[in-house]
Amino acid sequence: MNRPTDPHSLTQAATPVGTHAGYMPGFGNDFETEALPDALPQGMNSPQRCNYGLYGEQLSGTAFTANPPERTWCYRIRPSVKHSHRYEKIDLPYWKSAPCIDPDVISLGQYRWDPVPHSDEGLNWMTGMRTMTTAGDVNTQVGMACHIYLVTESMVDDYFFSADSELLVVPQEGRLRFATELGIIDLEPKEIAIIPRGLLYRVEVLEGPARGFVCENYGQKFELPGRGPIGANCMANPRDFKAPVAAYEDRETPSTVTIKWCGQFHTTKIGHSPLDVVAWHGNYAPYKYDLRNYCPVGAILFDHPDPSIFTVLTAPSGQPGTANIDFVLFRERWMVMEDTFRPPWYHKNIMSELMGNIYGQYDAKPQGFVPGGTSLHNMMIPHGPDREAFDKASYSNLGPEKLDKTMSFMFETRFPQHLTPFAANEAPLQDDYIDCWTSLEKKFDGTPGKK
Ligand SMILES: [Fe+2]
Protein backbone atom coordinates (compact mmCIF):
# COMPACT_ATOMS: atom_id res chain seq x y z
CA MET A 1 0.00 0.00 0.00
CA ASN A 2 1.35 3.44 -0.96
CA ARG A 3 1.42 5.89 1.91
CA PRO A 4 1.59 9.66 1.43
CA THR A 5 5.02 11.09 2.14
CA ASP A 6 5.33 12.60 5.57
CA PRO A 7 5.55 16.35 4.80
CA HIS A 8 7.84 16.80 7.78
CA SER A 9 10.51 14.57 6.21
CA LEU A 10 11.19 17.13 3.44
CA THR A 11 13.35 20.16 4.05
CA GLN A 12 12.10 22.91 1.78
CA ALA A 13 14.26 25.71 0.36
CA ALA A 14 13.50 28.96 2.12
CA THR A 15 14.71 31.40 -0.52
CA PRO A 16 15.88 31.11 -4.12
CA VAL A 17 19.62 30.60 -4.52
CA GLY A 18 21.93 32.49 -6.83
CA THR A 19 19.65 35.47 -7.45
CA HIS A 20 21.08 38.96 -7.24
CA ALA A 21 19.19 41.61 -5.32
CA GLY A 22 16.92 43.45 -7.71
CA TYR A 23 17.03 40.88 -10.51
CA MET A 24 15.32 37.66 -11.55
CA PRO A 25 17.34 34.93 -13.33
CA GLY A 26 16.55 33.34 -16.69
CA PHE A 27 16.37 34.10 -20.41
CA GLY A 28 12.92 34.92 -21.80
CA ASN A 29 11.15 33.50 -18.76
CA ASP A 30 7.58 34.35 -17.94
CA PHE A 31 8.54 36.54 -14.99
CA GLU A 32 6.25 38.05 -12.38
CA THR A 33 7.12 40.79 -9.90
CA GLU A 34 5.35 43.40 -7.77
CA ALA A 35 6.71 46.40 -5.86
CA LEU A 36 3.64 46.51 -3.58
CA PRO A 37 1.98 43.45 -2.02
CA ASP A 38 -0.93 42.03 -4.03
CA ALA A 39 -0.52 44.57 -6.82
CA LEU A 40 -0.29 41.73 -9.36
CA PRO A 41 -3.62 40.08 -10.21
CA GLN A 42 -3.49 36.32 -9.74
CA GLY A 43 -5.07 33.85 -12.12
CA MET A 44 -6.09 36.46 -14.70
CA ASN A 45 -4.70 39.47 -16.57
CA SER A 46 -7.54 41.93 -16.67
CA PRO A 47 -9.72 42.06 -13.55
CA GLN A 48 -12.71 44.40 -13.53
CA ARG A 49 -10.87 46.63 -11.06
CA CYS A 50 -7.14 46.32 -10.28
CA ASN A 51 -5.80 46.54 -6.74
CA TYR A 52 -4.59 50.00 -5.58
CA GLY A 53 -6.62 51.57 -8.42
CA LEU A 54 -3.91 50.58 -10.90
CA TYR A 55 -4.55 50.39 -14.65
CA GLY A 56 -3.86 47.11 -16.47
CA GLU A 57 -2.07 47.40 -19.80
CA GLN A 58 -0.36 45.02 -22.20
CA LEU A 59 2.97 45.77 -23.92
CA SER A 60 3.29 43.54 -27.01
CA GLY A 61 6.81 42.96 -28.32
CA THR A 62 5.64 40.61 -31.05
CA ALA A 63 2.49 40.32 -33.12
CA PHE A 64 -0.32 38.83 -31.06
CA THR A 65 -0.13 35.71 -33.20
CA ALA A 66 3.66 35.18 -33.14
CA ASN A 67 4.77 31.83 -31.83
CA PRO A 68 5.57 32.21 -29.02
CA PRO A 69 4.08 35.66 -28.41
CA GLU A 70 6.19 37.99 -26.30
CA ARG A 71 4.22 40.38 -24.15
CA THR A 72 4.12 41.81 -20.68
CA TRP A 73 1.15 42.84 -18.59
CA CYS A 74 1.79 46.05 -16.64
CA TYR A 75 -0.19 47.34 -13.67
CA ARG A 76 0.49 51.06 -13.51
CA ILE A 77 -0.54 54.30 -11.87
CA ARG A 78 -1.62 55.82 -15.19
CA PRO A 79 -2.19 54.10 -18.52
CA SER A 80 0.41 54.89 -21.20
CA VAL A 81 -2.05 57.14 -23.06
CA LYS A 82 -1.37 59.61 -20.23
CA HIS A 83 2.37 59.48 -21.06
CA SER A 84 1.75 60.65 -24.60
CA HIS A 85 0.46 64.03 -25.77
CA ARG A 86 0.90 65.99 -28.98
CA TYR A 87 4.23 65.37 -30.69
CA GLU A 88 6.84 67.76 -31.96
CA LYS A 89 9.75 66.74 -34.16
CA ILE A 90 13.26 67.37 -32.88
CA ASP A 91 16.66 66.82 -34.39
CA LEU A 92 19.33 64.56 -32.93
CA PRO A 93 21.82 65.03 -35.76
CA TYR A 94 24.33 62.37 -34.68
CA TRP A 95 21.82 59.53 -34.21
CA LYS A 96 21.24 58.16 -37.71
CA SER A 97 19.02 55.40 -39.03
CA ALA A 98 19.27 53.19 -42.09
CA PRO A 99 19.18 53.85 -44.92
CA CYS A 100 21.82 56.53 -44.36
CA ILE A 101 23.96 56.42 -47.48
CA ASP A 102 26.09 59.49 -48.13
CA PRO A 103 27.29 59.70 -51.77
CA ASP A 104 30.52 61.34 -50.59
CA VAL A 105 31.41 58.57 -48.16
CA ILE A 106 33.17 55.37 -49.23
CA SER A 107 32.04 52.48 -47.04
CA LEU A 108 33.88 49.82 -49.04
CA GLY A 109 37.17 49.10 -47.31
CA GLN A 110 38.79 48.15 -44.05
CA TYR A 111 38.41 50.80 -41.38
CA ARG A 112 39.64 51.28 -37.84
CA TRP A 113 39.05 54.07 -35.35
CA ASP A 114 40.69 55.13 -32.11
CA PRO A 115 38.30 55.63 -29.20
CA VAL A 116 35.97 58.55 -29.84
CA PRO A 117 37.06 61.14 -27.24
CA HIS A 118 34.73 62.81 -24.80
CA SER A 119 33.92 66.44 -25.52
CA ASP A 120 33.55 69.35 -23.11
CA GLU A 121 29.89 69.50 -24.01
CA GLY A 122 27.54 67.81 -21.53
CA LEU A 123 25.92 64.86 -23.27
CA ASN A 124 23.14 62.52 -22.20
CA TRP A 125 22.01 59.15 -23.56
CA MET A 126 20.19 60.77 -26.50
CA THR A 127 22.47 63.68 -27.38
CA GLY A 128 25.60 61.56 -26.79
CA MET A 129 24.72 58.82 -29.29
CA ARG A 130 27.15 58.81 -32.26
CA THR A 131 26.15 56.56 -35.13
CA MET A 132 29.08 54.88 -36.85
CA THR A 133 27.32 52.62 -39.36
CA THR A 134 23.83 51.73 -40.53
CA ALA A 135 22.60 48.66 -42.42
CA GLY A 136 19.25 47.64 -43.88
CA ASP A 137 16.17 49.82 -43.51
CA VAL A 138 14.51 50.98 -40.32
CA ASN A 139 11.15 51.33 -42.09
CA THR A 140 10.98 47.69 -43.08
CA GLN A 141 12.39 46.51 -39.73
CA VAL A 142 15.48 44.87 -41.18
CA GLY A 143 19.09 45.62 -40.36
CA MET A 144 20.78 47.56 -37.65
CA ALA A 145 22.91 50.53 -36.67
CA CYS A 146 26.14 50.66 -34.66
CA HIS A 147 26.62 53.56 -32.30
CA ILE A 148 29.16 54.79 -29.80
CA TYR A 149 27.71 56.57 -26.78
CA LEU A 150 29.48 59.33 -24.87
CA VAL A 151 27.50 60.15 -21.75
CA THR A 152 28.42 62.60 -19.01
CA GLU A 153 24.99 63.78 -17.84
CA SER A 154 22.00 62.00 -16.37
CA MET A 155 18.57 62.42 -17.91
CA VAL A 156 16.43 64.40 -15.45
CA ASP A 157 12.65 64.43 -15.95
CA ASP A 158 13.54 63.25 -19.40
CA TYR A 159 12.51 59.87 -20.80
CA PHE A 160 13.07 57.99 -24.02
CA PHE A 161 11.94 55.01 -25.98
CA SER A 162 12.68 53.61 -29.40
CA ALA A 163 9.77 52.23 -31.37
CA ASP A 164 12.27 51.33 -34.08
CA SER A 165 14.52 48.93 -32.29
CA GLU A 166 15.83 47.02 -29.35
CA LEU A 167 19.19 48.26 -28.10
CA LEU A 168 22.10 46.01 -27.17
CA VAL A 169 24.33 48.09 -24.89
CA VAL A 170 28.03 47.20 -24.43
CA PRO A 171 29.71 49.54 -21.91
CA GLN A 172 33.43 50.17 -22.21
CA GLU A 173 33.93 52.91 -19.60
CA GLY A 174 31.86 54.26 -16.69
CA ARG A 175 28.68 52.97 -15.09
CA LEU A 176 25.10 53.69 -16.12
CA ARG A 177 21.68 53.12 -14.59
CA PHE A 178 18.76 52.33 -16.87
CA ALA A 179 15.62 53.25 -14.91
CA THR A 180 12.96 51.55 -17.03
CA GLU A 181 9.22 51.04 -16.83
CA LEU A 182 9.86 47.45 -15.76
CA GLY A 183 12.66 48.07 -13.24
CA ILE A 184 16.26 49.17 -12.76
CA ILE A 185 19.33 47.83 -14.56
CA ASP A 186 22.77 49.00 -13.43
CA LEU A 187 25.44 48.39 -16.02
CA GLU A 188 29.23 48.44 -16.08
CA PRO A 189 31.99 47.30 -18.47
CA LYS A 190 32.08 43.51 -19.07
CA GLU A 191 28.29 43.45 -18.80
CA ILE A 192 25.68 43.97 -21.53
CA ALA A 193 22.04 45.00 -21.45
CA ILE A 194 19.13 44.62 -23.83
CA ILE A 195 16.49 47.36 -23.82
CA PRO A 196 13.42 46.15 -25.74
CA ARG A 197 11.58 48.08 -28.42
CA GLY A 198 8.91 50.38 -26.98
CA LEU A 199 10.13 50.32 -23.37
CA LEU A 200 10.35 53.75 -21.70
CA TYR A 201 13.40 54.62 -19.64
CA ARG A 202 15.84 57.27 -18.52
CA VAL A 203 19.59 56.83 -18.23
CA GLU A 204 21.54 58.10 -15.24
CA VAL A 205 25.31 58.31 -14.89
CA LEU A 206 26.48 56.36 -11.82
CA GLU A 207 30.15 56.85 -12.66
CA GLY A 208 31.26 59.02 -15.54
CA PRO A 209 32.25 59.78 -18.10
CA ALA A 210 30.60 56.78 -19.72
CA ARG A 211 31.47 55.40 -23.15
CA GLY A 212 30.40 52.26 -24.89
CA PHE A 213 28.89 50.64 -27.95
CA VAL A 214 25.28 50.13 -28.96
CA CYS A 215 23.87 47.77 -31.54
CA GLU A 216 20.45 49.03 -32.57
CA ASN A 217 18.47 46.06 -33.85
CA TYR A 218 15.63 46.99 -36.21
CA GLY A 219 14.61 43.38 -36.76
CA GLN A 220 13.55 40.31 -34.87
CA LYS A 221 14.65 40.24 -31.22
CA PHE A 222 17.92 38.80 -29.99
CA GLU A 223 17.72 35.21 -28.82
CA LEU A 224 20.12 32.53 -27.67
CA PRO A 225 21.84 30.78 -30.60
CA GLY A 226 21.10 27.18 -31.50
CA ARG A 227 23.71 24.98 -29.82
CA GLY A 228 23.77 22.09 -32.28
CA PRO A 229 26.18 19.32 -31.31
CA ILE A 230 27.59 21.46 -28.45
CA GLY A 231 24.53 20.45 -26.46
CA ALA A 232 22.91 22.02 -23.45
CA ASN A 233 25.92 23.47 -21.63
CA CYS A 234 28.61 26.16 -22.06
CA MET A 235 28.41 29.36 -24.12
CA ALA A 236 25.81 31.72 -22.56
CA ASN A 237 23.70 29.84 -20.05
CA PRO A 238 20.08 31.04 -19.70
CA ARG A 239 20.26 31.26 -15.89
CA ASP A 240 22.90 34.00 -16.10
CA PHE A 241 20.57 36.52 -17.76
CA LYS A 242 18.91 38.87 -15.27
CA ALA A 243 15.62 40.76 -15.63
CA PRO A 244 14.88 43.54 -13.12
CA VAL A 245 12.21 43.38 -10.42
CA ALA A 246 9.38 45.92 -10.60
CA ALA A 247 10.18 49.49 -9.52
CA TYR A 248 7.98 52.56 -9.79
CA GLU A 249 7.94 56.23 -8.90
CA ASP A 250 4.93 58.43 -8.21
CA ARG A 251 6.36 61.80 -9.16
CA GLU A 252 4.33 64.77 -10.40
CA THR A 253 6.82 66.94 -12.24
CA PRO A 254 6.90 68.41 -15.76
CA SER A 255 8.61 65.82 -17.93
CA THR A 256 9.58 65.23 -21.53
CA VAL A 257 9.28 61.96 -23.40
CA THR A 258 11.36 61.54 -26.56
CA ILE A 259 10.42 58.85 -29.04
CA LYS A 260 12.50 57.43 -31.88
CA TRP A 261 10.01 56.41 -34.56
CA CYS A 262 10.91 55.48 -38.17
CA GLY A 263 14.32 57.09 -37.78
CA GLN A 264 12.96 60.41 -36.57
CA PHE A 265 12.78 61.90 -33.10
CA HIS A 266 9.72 63.43 -31.49
CA THR A 267 9.00 64.86 -28.06
CA THR A 268 5.85 65.09 -26.00
CA LYS A 269 5.33 66.95 -22.71
CA ILE A 270 3.64 65.36 -19.71
CA GLY A 271 3.19 66.34 -16.06
CA HIS A 272 4.58 63.30 -14.27
CA SER A 273 7.08 60.45 -14.40
CA PRO A 274 5.98 57.65 -16.75
CA LEU A 275 7.97 55.09 -14.71
CA ASP A 276 4.82 54.11 -12.85
CA VAL A 277 4.52 50.33 -13.31
CA VAL A 278 3.94 48.90 -9.82
CA ALA A 279 3.72 45.25 -10.88
CA TRP A 280 4.18 43.24 -14.08
CA HIS A 281 4.27 39.76 -15.47
CA GLY A 282 5.35 38.45 -18.85
CA ASN A 283 8.25 37.51 -21.09
CA TYR A 284 8.97 40.86 -22.77
CA ALA A 285 11.44 42.63 -20.48
CA PRO A 286 14.85 44.28 -20.36
CA TYR A 287 17.74 42.18 -19.12
CA LYS A 288 21.46 42.22 -18.42
CA TYR A 289 24.20 39.63 -18.73
CA ASP A 290 27.68 39.49 -17.29
CA LEU A 291 30.08 38.59 -20.13
CA ARG A 292 32.43 37.02 -17.57
CA ASN A 293 29.85 34.23 -17.32
CA TYR A 294 30.30 33.34 -20.98
CA CYS A 295 31.88 29.88 -21.24
CA PRO A 296 33.85 29.73 -24.53
CA VAL A 297 34.11 26.51 -26.50
CA GLY A 298 36.86 26.02 -29.07
CA ALA A 299 39.33 23.78 -30.87
CA ILE A 300 41.23 21.45 -28.53
CA LEU A 301 43.53 19.66 -31.00
CA PHE A 302 44.05 21.56 -34.29
CA ASP A 303 42.61 24.25 -36.59
CA HIS A 304 40.66 27.41 -35.85
CA PRO A 305 36.84 27.29 -35.82
CA ASP A 306 34.61 29.97 -37.33
CA PRO A 307 34.03 32.87 -34.91
CA SER A 308 30.36 31.90 -34.70
CA ILE A 309 31.52 29.45 -32.03
CA PHE A 310 31.63 32.50 -29.71
CA THR A 311 28.09 33.76 -30.40
CA VAL A 312 26.41 35.14 -27.27
CA LEU A 313 23.13 36.28 -28.82
CA THR A 314 21.70 36.18 -32.33
CA ALA A 315 18.92 38.13 -33.99
CA PRO A 316 17.44 36.08 -36.86
CA SER A 317 16.77 37.59 -40.27
CA GLY A 318 14.19 35.14 -41.54
CA GLN A 319 16.77 33.19 -43.55
CA PRO A 320 17.86 30.27 -41.39
CA GLY A 321 21.53 30.43 -40.32
CA THR A 322 21.96 33.95 -41.70
CA ALA A 323 21.53 36.43 -38.90
CA ASN A 324 20.34 39.99 -39.04
CA ILE A 325 22.89 40.38 -36.22
CA ASP A 326 25.19 38.05 -34.34
CA PHE A 327 26.74 39.34 -31.14
CA VAL A 328 30.06 37.50 -30.79
CA LEU A 329 32.48 37.66 -27.83
CA PHE A 330 36.26 37.20 -27.89
CA ARG A 331 37.23 36.83 -24.24
CA GLU A 332 40.03 35.22 -22.25
CA ARG A 333 40.61 31.63 -23.30
CA TRP A 334 43.28 28.97 -23.70
CA MET A 335 44.85 28.27 -27.08
CA VAL A 336 46.10 24.69 -27.34
CA MET A 337 45.84 23.81 -31.03
CA GLU A 338 48.84 21.89 -32.45
CA ASP A 339 50.55 22.65 -35.78
CA THR A 340 47.95 25.36 -36.38
CA PHE A 341 47.95 28.99 -37.39
CA ARG A 342 46.09 30.05 -34.27
CA PRO A 343 44.86 33.63 -34.89
CA PRO A 344 41.82 34.28 -37.07
CA TRP A 345 42.74 33.35 -40.65
CA TYR A 346 42.66 35.67 -43.62
CA HIS A 347 39.21 35.77 -45.13
CA LYS A 348 36.38 37.51 -46.95
CA ASN A 349 32.86 37.26 -45.59
CA ILE A 350 29.40 37.93 -46.99
CA MET A 351 28.53 39.17 -43.50
CA SER A 352 29.91 42.56 -42.47
CA GLU A 353 31.83 42.75 -39.24
CA LEU A 354 32.03 45.65 -36.82
CA MET A 355 34.30 45.01 -33.86
CA GLY A 356 34.86 46.87 -30.61
CA ASN A 357 37.52 46.43 -27.97
CA ILE A 358 36.22 46.47 -24.38
CA TYR A 359 39.64 45.95 -22.78
CA GLY A 360 43.03 44.37 -23.40
CA GLN A 361 44.79 43.25 -26.56
CA TYR A 362 43.15 41.41 -29.48
CA ASP A 363 45.24 38.51 -30.80
CA ALA A 364 44.97 39.25 -34.54
CA LYS A 365 45.92 42.92 -34.06
CA PRO A 366 48.40 43.32 -31.18
CA GLN A 367 48.73 47.06 -31.89
CA GLY A 368 46.29 49.70 -33.01
CA PHE A 369 43.00 48.08 -32.00
CA VAL A 370 42.83 49.62 -28.55
CA PRO A 371 40.20 49.56 -25.79
CA GLY A 372 37.33 51.80 -26.85
CA GLY A 373 38.42 51.46 -30.49
CA THR A 374 36.31 50.16 -33.35
CA SER A 375 37.00 48.39 -36.64
CA LEU A 376 34.87 47.59 -39.66
CA HIS A 377 35.46 44.89 -42.23
CA ASN A 378 32.60 45.25 -44.62
CA MET A 379 30.83 42.74 -46.85
CA MET A 380 33.34 40.73 -48.93
CA ILE A 381 36.28 42.96 -48.01
CA PRO A 382 39.43 40.92 -47.19
CA HIS A 383 41.02 41.13 -43.76
CA GLY A 384 43.07 39.12 -41.29
CA PRO A 385 46.12 39.25 -39.03
CA ASP A 386 48.63 42.04 -39.40
CA ARG A 387 52.29 41.34 -40.14
CA GLU A 388 53.31 41.18 -36.49
CA ALA A 389 50.52 38.72 -35.60
CA PHE A 390 51.27 36.61 -38.69
CA ASP A 391 54.96 36.28 -37.89
CA LYS A 392 54.41 35.53 -34.23
CA ALA A 393 51.77 32.89 -34.98
CA SER A 394 53.78 31.32 -37.81
CA TYR A 395 57.12 30.94 -36.07
CA SER A 396 56.52 30.66 -32.31
CA ASN A 397 56.76 27.35 -30.48
CA LEU A 398 53.22 26.18 -29.89
CA GLY A 399 52.44 25.20 -26.34
CA PRO A 400 49.30 25.85 -24.33
CA GLU A 401 48.91 29.61 -24.15
CA LYS A 402 46.33 31.71 -22.37
CA LEU A 403 44.95 34.76 -24.14
CA ASP A 404 44.57 36.72 -20.96
CA LYS A 405 43.12 40.09 -20.01
CA THR A 406 41.28 40.55 -23.28
CA MET A 407 37.66 41.18 -24.26
CA SER A 408 36.50 42.26 -27.69
CA PHE A 409 33.23 41.73 -29.49
CA MET A 410 31.71 41.75 -32.95
CA PHE A 411 28.37 42.97 -34.27
CA GLU A 412 28.08 40.90 -37.45
CA THR A 413 25.24 41.45 -39.88
CA ARG A 414 24.16 39.94 -43.19
CA PHE A 415 23.71 43.49 -44.53
CA PRO A 416 26.47 45.82 -45.73
CA GLN A 417 27.26 48.58 -43.25
CA HIS A 418 27.38 52.16 -44.45
CA LEU A 419 29.61 54.66 -42.70
CA THR A 420 27.94 57.81 -41.43
CA PRO A 421 29.50 61.20 -42.16
CA PHE A 422 30.49 61.23 -38.48
CA ALA A 423 32.42 57.95 -38.83
CA ALA A 424 34.07 59.11 -42.06
CA ASN A 425 34.89 62.69 -41.15
CA GLU A 426 34.70 63.38 -37.40
CA ALA A 427 35.56 60.16 -35.55
CA PRO A 428 39.30 59.44 -35.11
CA LEU A 429 39.77 57.27 -38.18
CA GLN A 430 43.19 55.61 -38.49
CA ASP A 431 44.21 56.56 -42.02
CA ASP A 432 47.11 54.10 -41.97
CA TYR A 433 45.10 51.05 -40.88
CA ILE A 434 45.41 49.21 -44.20
CA ASP A 435 49.20 49.58 -43.98
CA CYS A 436 49.18 46.81 -41.34
CA TRP A 437 49.19 44.32 -44.24
CA THR A 438 51.69 46.17 -46.47
CA SER A 439 54.78 44.35 -45.25
CA LEU A 440 53.35 40.85 -45.79
CA GLU A 441 55.74 39.74 -48.53
CA LYS A 442 55.55 37.08 -51.18
CA LYS A 443 57.27 33.97 -49.82
CA PHE A 444 56.46 31.57 -52.66
CA ASP A 445 59.36 30.69 -54.99
CA GLY A 446 58.24 27.27 -56.20
CA THR A 447 60.39 25.38 -53.68
CA PRO A 448 58.41 22.79 -51.68
CA GLY A 449 58.50 22.73 -47.90
CA LYS A 450 57.10 24.97 -45.19
CA LYS A 451 58.73 28.39 -45.08
FE1 LIG B 1 36.41 38.62 -40.10
Side-chain angles (χ1 to χ4, degrees):
M1 172 179 151
N2 292 331
R3 297 180 57 189
T5 308
D6 178 358
H8 301 293
S9 70
L10 297 170
T11 304
Q12 197 170 29
T15 52
V17 186
T19 53
H20 293 235
Y23 299 95
M24 301 175 284
F27 188 91
N29 286 6
D30 210 47
F31 297 106
E32 61 175 40
T33 172
E34 58 186 16
L36 292 175
D38 303 322
L40 195 66
Q42 292 298 316
M44 64 189 303
N45 295 324
S46 199
Q48 188 174 19
R49 285 184 301 280
C50 295
N51 205 0
Y52 297 100
L54 297 171
Y55 289 87
E57 177 178 305
Q58 183 174 247
L59 172 62
S60 290
T62 61
F64 297 139
T65 45
N67 189 19
E70 295 189 28
R71 60 84 182 92
T72 285
W73 270 93
C74 304
Y75 301 91
R76 60 193 316 157
I77 297 171
R78 296 177 176 87
S80 284
V81 287
K82 296 290 288 180
H83 308 324
S84 168
H85 204 245
R86 289 192 167 74
Y87 292 100
E88 196 177 302
K89 266 191 191 172
I90 61 161
D91 198 19
L92 289 173
Y94 285 104
W95 190 333
K96 301 292 188 192
S97 294
C100 175
I101 302 173
D102 188 318
D104 297 326
V105 168
I106 297 177
S107 296
L108 181 148
Q110 304 98 338
Y111 291 100
R112 194 166 68 190
W113 293 265
D114 284 324
V116 178
H118 291 281
S119 69
D120 297 333
E121 188 188 358
L123 296 170
N124 66 25
W125 179 251
M126 297 177 292
T127 57
M129 202 65 74
R130 300 283 178 268
T131 306
M132 298 292 285
T133 67
T134 67
D137 186 341
V138 72
N139 284 292
T140 52
Q141 299 185 344
V142 293
M144 55 168 269
C146 295
H147 314 283
I148 287 170
Y149 65 81
L150 306 166
V151 179
T152 53
E153 290 184 351
S154 296
M155 293 161 69
V156 180
D157 300 325
D158 221 357
Y159 303 87
F160 173 78
F161 77 84
S162 172
D164 286 343
S165 48
E166 70 174 343
L167 300 187
L168 164 60
V169 185
V170 185
Q172 189 265 323
E173 186 182 273
R175 293 172 57 234
L176 295 175
R177 166 166 293 172
F178 293 80
T180 81
E181 285 178 290
L182 299 185
I184 298 164
I185 288 181
D186 288 346
L187 201 64
E188 62 184 26
K190 302 175 194 169
E191 296 179 320
I192 59 167
I194 293 275
I195 310 295
R197 187 193 297 262
L199 189 76
L200 256 166
Y201 60 99
R202 68 166 180 259
V203 180
E204 300 165 7
V205 179
L206 297 178
E207 190 183 314
R211 179 173 55 208
F213 307 89
V214 171
C215 182
E216 184 179 358
N217 175 16
Y218 305 143
Q220 203 174 323
K221 288 173 76 256
F222 278 105
E223 57 189 46
L224 292 171
R227 292 165 171 273
I230 291 170
N233 303 299
C234 299
M235 303 171 71
N237 289 304
R239 65 187 287 229
D240 294 323
F241 291 82
K242 314 284 184 197
V245 298
Y248 73 96
E249 59 191 9
D250 184 8
R251 232 155 41 85
E252 316 252 344
T253 180
S255 302
T256 303
V257 177
T258 302
I259 299 171
K260 181 176 190 285
W261 199 89
C262 292
Q264 298 187 318
F265 295 87
H266 312 73
T267 58
T268 186
K269 304 281 186 192
I270 57 175
H272 48 266
S273 167
L275 305 184
D276 64 356
V277 177
V278 178
W280 61 267
H281 77 85
N283 58 356
Y284 189 69
Y287 56 88
K288 67 186 268 184
Y289 173 73
D290 189 331
L291 296 169
R292 287 162 290 201
N293 287 327
Y294 186 81
C295 176
V297 174
I300 52 173
L301 190 58
F302 61 87
D303 271 356
H304 181 109
D306 288 333
S308 48
I309 196 85
F310 298 141
T311 301
V312 182
L313 292 167
T314 186
S317 74
Q319 182 174 331
T322 306
N324 185 30
I325 308 159
D326 280 327
F327 174 61
V328 180
L329 181 71
F330 306 99
R331 64 160 304 179
E332 295 93 342
R333 60 199 182 275
W334 280 92
M335 307 288 268
V336 297
M337 304 85 94
E338 298 173 346
D339 193 23
T340 289
F341 184 78
R342 287 179 175 178
W345 12 251
Y346 297 99
H347 73 132
K348 297 198 294 184
N349 187 358
I350 189 169
M351 308 284 279
S352 64
E353 309 174 8
L354 184 136
M355 285 189 64
N357 187 338
I358 299 169
Y359 81 100
Q361 196 179 68
Y362 178 66
D363 59 326
K365 302 279 165 50
Q367 306 297 329
F369 181 45
V370 299
T374 311
S375 69
L376 175 67
H377 302 113
N378 228 330
M379 179 179 69
M380 284 300 179
I381 303 300
H383 55 284
D386 61 23
R387 172 65 190 262
E388 181 188 349
F390 178 84
D391 283 350
K392 181 166 178 274
S394 301
Y395 300 111
S396 60
N397 291 320
L398 295 181
E401 181 191 6
K402 190 170 185 191
L403 294 180
D404 212 359
K405 300 183 176 60
T406 180
M407 188 175 275
S408 297
F409 69 90
M410 180 163 67
F411 299 148
E412 188 182 55
T413 173
R414 62 175 295 189
F415 301 106
Q417 297 188 41
H418 295 272
L419 268 62
T420 59
F422 172 79
N425 304 321
E426 291 184 57
L429 186 66
Q430 297 177 1
D431 287 331
D432 60 351
Y433 173 44
I434 61 170
D435 296 342
C436 75
W437 297 293
T438 303
S439 62
L440 288 166
E441 78 276 27
K442 172 186 169 188
K443 289 146 38 108
F444 176 82
D445 64 3
T447 310
K450 289 184 180 177
K451 296 289 181 183

